[in-house]
Amino acid sequence: MASREFITHSPEETIELGRSLAGILTPPKLVLLRGELGAGKTTLVKGIAEGFKAASQQDVTSPTFTLVHEYRGPNANLYHIDLYRVDTPRELETLGLDDLMAENSVLLIEWGEKFVRFERERDVEIALERLDDTRRRIVFTKTEN
């Protein structure tokens, strides 16, 4: 596994990092986003969505209650998925995530580590750690498939 570590000093820097990571996340990709509540996962997705020209940062919000947000870009469809409130394999099945996987799809899954399946199937893991009010440590790891 190849890893790179970044430190961002503001939400704007985290969004900018997301924009630059979009160039590495060529579809199809399954990306696990790890981090505690408030670590900046959705902020990073704002930049990734802009990098794919799938949505503006203002249009990207946390899918905490809807569970899945879809953003369609010219070259990829992004699915921002939040499994925080999903506890069982049966609940996971009802989301139909397998139907979202396609050649032009990037699945960005928060709390995916709750399910062994995503640990196995991930292409990339992005771990975010809150260092203080504004700084984040972000570790990008690409799995060798």
Side-chain angles (χ1 to χ4, degrees):
M1 285 200 255
S3 292
R4 291 182 60 195
E5 182 175 310
F6 306 89
I7 302 290
T8 62
H9 298 87
S10 66
E12 294 76 24
E13 281 187 23
T14 302
I15 290 168
E16 185 57 40
L17 176 62
R19 279 190 209 105
S20 68
L21 292 178
I24 304 171
L25 298 174
T26 52
K29 285 282 186 293
L30 192 149
V31 180
L32 286 189
L33 298 170
R34 287 186 184 259
E36 295 301 316
L37 292 171
K41 297 179 297 290
T42 297
T43 302
L44 186 70
V45 171
K46 288 173 182 275
I48 293 171
E50 282 194 343
F52 275 105
K53 296 180 177 50
S56 70
Q57 60 182 280
Q58 294 83 4
D59 292 331
V60 175
T61 58
S62 175
T64 301
F65 295 103
T66 57
L67 304 182
V68 179
H69 285 173
E70 178 180 6
Y71 305 105
R72 292 184 177 263
N75 299 313
N77 294 328
L78 302 183
Y79 297 95
H80 185 194
I81 300 156
D82 188 331
L83 301 180
Y84 184 76
R85 289 176 164 54
V86 177
D87 294 316
T88 67
R90 178 71 188 121
E91 289 174 330
L92 181 65
E93 268 181 50
T94 64
L95 295 179
L97 299 184
D98 289 332
D99 296 336
L100 304 180
M101 293 185 193
E103 286 302 309
N104 68 336
S105 294
V106 176
L107 277 65
L108 302 159
I109 304 176
E110 296 186 28
W111 305 101
E113 67 272 14
K114 292 171 65 176
F115 298 94
V116 174
R117 164 193 175 179
F118 297 123
E119 293 282 343
R120 273 193 321 267
E121 295 177 10
R122 73 180 186 256
D123 299 298
V124 171
E125 181 174 299
I126 303 174
L128 295 94
E129 179 186 358
R130 185 174 189 254
L131 300 176
D132 59 32
D133 285 346
T134 56
R135 292 184 314 129
R136 302 293 185 265
R137 174 182 293 119
I138 300 169
V139 179
F140 178 95
T141 305
K142 186 173 184 179
T143 58
E144 307 295 326
N145 290 343

